[in-house]
Amino acid sequence: LFFLIQHFYFKLFGASVIVSRLPSAFAALGTAIAIFFIGKRLGGLRAGLISLGALALNSYFIWMGRIGLLESVFTFFLCLGLYYFIKALEDNPKYFRQTGLFWGLAIVTKYTFLFFVPGIVVYILWRERQVLKNRKFWSGVIVFLAVCLPILIYNFGMLQARGHFDVQFSDLFKQVHSDWPKLAQRVSFSHVNPGGVLATLIEGFSWAYFAVFAVSFFGALFIFRKSSKMLAIFMVAS
């Protein structure tokens, strides 16, 4: 999806480095707005402004908004889906359709969304099981699956043509092939190093910012541990 959006930008404004980065820049602006409204909904105007301010000082977020990679657009759709997920739980289940739409757009932007799925499913089964009886919830699931169709069609087409799925899924399911040896090694789950991820985060932030983040993260979990908003706050803090 990111490359499709980028394609339309090139058609409208011509091919250049600046134009290649415009989708990321506008997506970053949209994410900042989404975070403000998520924070405002969860904790009022002050919480929204603090959330927006913290995001504006996040060096990785600023970096994402200045380069022509997938992450900025992915984060925008992820946060927009989270906002409507909260609205669906608190206001009206009809917003599950928007949730499914934007989270579907997130996964067709980047497969990273799959890492969020277990947490969402566990939370619904744990704290919001009643929504499973709501037709509007399942209509949101159908919207999500419909948006995911390009991924399914592409992967099954590749399975027929090459005998394996796309690189990430072929690596996940341990399909042996020689199409992308270097890329498969790079994304392999056997190379995941949580300590390395933490070290990267510490290196990318100032110590003061990282300390405030850590305190806020665990503080939010403690304060809202009995609240139905716990998953939302957990994801926002992440």
Side-chain angles (χ1 to χ4, degrees):
L1 177 60
F2 174 82
F3 297 117
L4 180 62
I5 295 172
Q6 205 171 53
H7 167 76
F8 288 125
Y9 271 76
F10 287 146
K11 286 291 186 181
L12 288 172
F13 306 112
S16 69
V17 173
I18 293 178
V19 174
S20 73
R21 297 176 178 179
L22 282 179
S24 296
F26 286 127
L29 178 61
T31 300
I33 296 172
I35 285 294
F36 166 75
F37 282 106
I38 290 172
K40 181 181 178 182
R41 170 168 283 270
L42 294 176
L45 178 61
R46 180 178 297 179
L49 292 174
I50 292 174
S51 301
L52 176 60
L55 187 65
L57 295 175
N58 186 304
S59 55
Y60 282 111
F61 176 74
I62 296 171
W63 171 72
M64 284 194 309
R66 297 181 62 184
I67 59 174
L69 295 182
L70 289 67
E71 281 74 12
S72 187
V73 174
F74 163 76
T75 305
F76 169 65
F77 287 130
L78 177 68
C79 291
L80 205 55
L82 175 60
Y83 174 73
Y84 280 103
F85 180 71
I86 299 170
K87 283 179 66 69
L89 293 176
E90 295 189 344
D91 295 345
N92 193 321
K94 70 178 183 179
Y95 292 114
F96 280 123
R97 298 189 185 96
Q98 287 89 335
T99 302
L101 170 63
F102 291 119
W103 279 350
L105 294 175
I107 197 172
V108 297
T109 301
K110 192 169 184 180
Y111 294 157
T112 309
F113 181 79
L114 292 173
F115 289 100
F116 291 84
V117 173
I120 296 168
V121 172
V122 168
Y123 173 74
I124 290 175
L125 293 176
W126 178 33
R127 301 300 294 266
E128 302 288 346
R129 196 176 303 173
Q130 72 280 358
V131 302
L132 299 177
K133 301 178 182 179
N134 194 307
R135 292 183 179 180
K136 293 179 181 179
F137 169 79
W138 291 108
S139 67
V141 174
I142 292 173
V143 170
F144 174 79
L145 295 175
V147 178
C148 291
L149 273 178
I151 291 176
L152 301 176
I153 295 171
Y154 164 63
N155 275 280
F156 281 110
M158 178 163 284
L159 181 64
Q160 290 180 335
R162 302 296 301 168
H164 58 78
F165 296 125
D166 192 9
V167 59
Q168 290 89 348
F169 290 116
S170 65
D171 190 60
L172 176 64
F173 294 111
K174 304 300 180 183
Q175 295 174 323
V176 179
H177 60 85
S178 59
D179 282 356
W180 314 291
K182 292 184 178 180
L183 189 57
Q185 291 174 7
R186 187 179 66 131
V187 302
S188 174
F189 280 82
S190 62
H191 291 81
V192 174
N193 180 8
V197 174
L198 183 61
T200 300
L201 289 176
I202 294 174
E203 183 181 358
F205 296 130
S206 67
W207 279 102
Y209 188 96
F210 187 81
V212 171
F213 158 76
V215 171
S216 301
F217 180 79
F218 291 106
L221 290 180
F222 176 79
I223 293 171
F224 295 100
R225 64 189 183 280
K226 297 181 180 180
S227 170
S228 61
K229 299 178 182 179
M230 186 172 69
L231 174 69
I233 293 174
F234 180 83
M235 293 178 68
V236 171
S238 299

